[in-house]
Amino acid sequence: MDKRGRVFSGARPTGRQHLGNYLGAIRNYVGFQDEYDCVYCVVDLHALTTLEDTSKLKEWTREMTLDWLAAGIRAEETILFVQSHVPQVTELHTILSMVTPLGWLTRLPTFKEKVRQQPDNVNYGLVGYPVLMASDIVLYKADVVPVGVDQAPHLEFTREIVRRFNHTFGEVLVEPQARHTEFTKVLGIDGEAKMSKSLNNHIEIASTPEEIWDRVRVMVTDPARQFRRDPGHPEVCNVFSLHRFFSAAEVAQIEADCRSAAIGCVECKKKFAANLGSYFAPFRERRARFAADPDYVWDVLGDGARRACAIADETLGEVKAAVGLP
Ligand code: SF4
């Protein structure tokens, strides 16, 4: 099939992925492979800007990659690699930093937010983060970058840098286009905050059926439904919102049964846990197979880095020539 160009996306190494990661990003990553040549990157250098303890980076990289591969990232066609394995990105970062006014960076709301979050560690990398992100995208000549509504300004920033560079040195860099994508926001088992590992309100997609039930059992449901006989309000229940994805064939019946109190929350959760377990059963089987070979992930990432390096060398050569570096 003819592909429509190259897509780039990156994610920090966060270890085993949860339902929020899956519904918000991974399933899109898998789908894009049918439309684009895909370049997916584990952005470990970005992680250094906020991580205090880096001892788990290697393990988290392996676990996250295993999840991506088992979910359907096809390593033989997609370039899957680790950011720091292609050091050309840091060289491009240095060059692009020379065309990026400091005021652009310090005015960014994301920078101000980070300063609020870690006032004792406002490091230089934090300021240059968007330039490194722009370098990731343009180094691989990405035509398209998937963005959710709230991420559009990040990509616009990259486009600004590209325009400024090309205006100064000639049309060398590809200006990436946004592919507006629905990044589903998934609430945690507390039903309040976004699902996140750091809040420990997550359900890992590699969980066994028993582990799934342990998490689903304690999920917060409709707070107004105090007794089994009380009619429920599925529109405010997080279990129901996840049923929409994992129990699609039954969702109308579940909604009706919840409203009429024909089904209780425990039964409803058991149904959800069972459907979730079945949905990810082939995933768990593939993951176990990949994980059995301790070299498999590193071989995939090594091969991805070699292919990424070939594109990176070409871009960097063009950039240096345009800038006039001897
Ligand atoms: S029956 Fe299901 S959808 Fe209704 S409140 Fe309970 S858990 Fe939520």
Side-chain angles (χ1 to χ4, degrees), residues 191-245:
E192 284 180 5
K194 194 174 161 189
M195 188 173 280
S196 130
K197 202 169 163 175
S198 55
L199 295 175
N200 192 26
N201 65 359
H202 62 302
I203 301 174
E204 291 177 352
I205 57 176
S207 301
T208 62
E210 295 72 30
E211 289 166 341
I212 289 175
W213 176 240
D214 274 352
R215 301 299 270 175
V216 171
R217 194 172 51 82
V218 295
M219 279 180 80
V220 172
T221 63
D222 170 11
R225 199 172 182 201
Q226 307 251 324
F227 301 103
R228 168 71 179 76
R229 63 175 182 278
D230 294 339
H233 306 84
E235 66 278 6
V236 299
C237 175
N238 191 30
V239 177
F240 184 74
S241 56
L242 289 170
H243 264 308
R244 287 182 192 280
F245 294 106

Side-chain angles (χ1 to χ4, degrees), residues 5-156:
R6 184 177 290 150
V7 80
F8 175 91
S9 192
R12 290 171 177 231
T14 49
R16 288 183 171 227
Q17 303 286 277
H18 54 63
L19 289 183
N21 302 130
Y22 180 77
L23 294 173
I26 299 172
R27 66 186 179 132
N28 290 334
Y29 283 7
V30 173
F32 289 146
Q33 295 176 116
D34 296 330
E35 290 180 65
Y36 301 100
D37 289 324
C38 296
V39 180
Y40 295 143
C41 180
V42 181
V43 290
D44 55 347
L45 294 173
H46 284 298
L48 294 182
T49 57
T50 49
L51 271 189
E52 280 168 19
D53 177 9
T54 56
S55 62
K56 292 264 187 344
L57 270 178
K58 191 171 177 187
E59 178 192 328
W60 287 349
T61 297
R62 180 172 187 271
E63 293 291 338
M64 184 163 96
T65 306
L66 274 173
D67 279 346
W68 285 11
L69 291 167
I73 302 294
R74 301 187 287 269
E76 62 286 359
E77 62 185 90
T78 288
I79 298 180
L80 179 59
F81 71 106
V82 177
Q83 186 183 30
S84 66
H85 292 178
V86 185
Q88 291 90 328
V89 76
T90 57
E91 207 173 339
L92 183 60
H93 170 248
T94 301
I95 296 172
L96 292 187
S97 72
M98 310 304 173
V99 295
T100 310
L102 187 58
W104 285 10
L105 295 164
T106 51
R107 272 198 296 273
L108 282 173
T110 42
F111 173 68
K112 291 180 180 166
E113 179 62 25
K114 283 282 178 271
V115 172
R116 262 194 300 276
Q117 285 170 358
Q118 50 184 65
D120 299 330
N121 184 20
V122 183
N123 57 67
Y124 174 66
L126 214 48
V127 186
Y129 187 106
V131 186
L132 184 56
M133 201 172 74
S135 308
D136 284 323
I137 296 168
V138 301
L139 187 61
Y140 304 106
K141 299 179 191 258
D143 305 290
V144 173
V145 176
V147 291
V149 195
D150 53 346
Q151 298 153 322
H154 295 213
L155 184 64
E156 196 45 44

Side-chain angles (χ1 to χ4, degrees), residues 253-319:
Q253 189 63 51
I254 294 168
E255 179 170 7
D257 289 349
C258 172
R259 290 192 193 284
S260 65
I263 189 173
C265 288
V266 174
E267 195 186 337
C268 187
K269 285 177 174 180
K270 281 189 176 158
K271 198 186 277 286
F272 170 59
N275 290 346
L276 193 59
S278 308
Y279 182 93
F280 282 106
F283 163 89
R284 286 195 302 276
E285 187 274 320
R286 280 192 298 273
R287 194 185 199 282
R289 200 155 28 87
F290 296 153
D293 177 354
D295 296 330
Y296 179 69
V297 161
W298 303 115
D299 288 347
V300 165
L301 292 173
D303 180 58
R306 273 188 292 280
R307 287 149 66 204
C309 266
I311 307 171
D313 279 336
E314 192 182 296
T315 308
L316 201 54
E318 291 162 3
V319 165

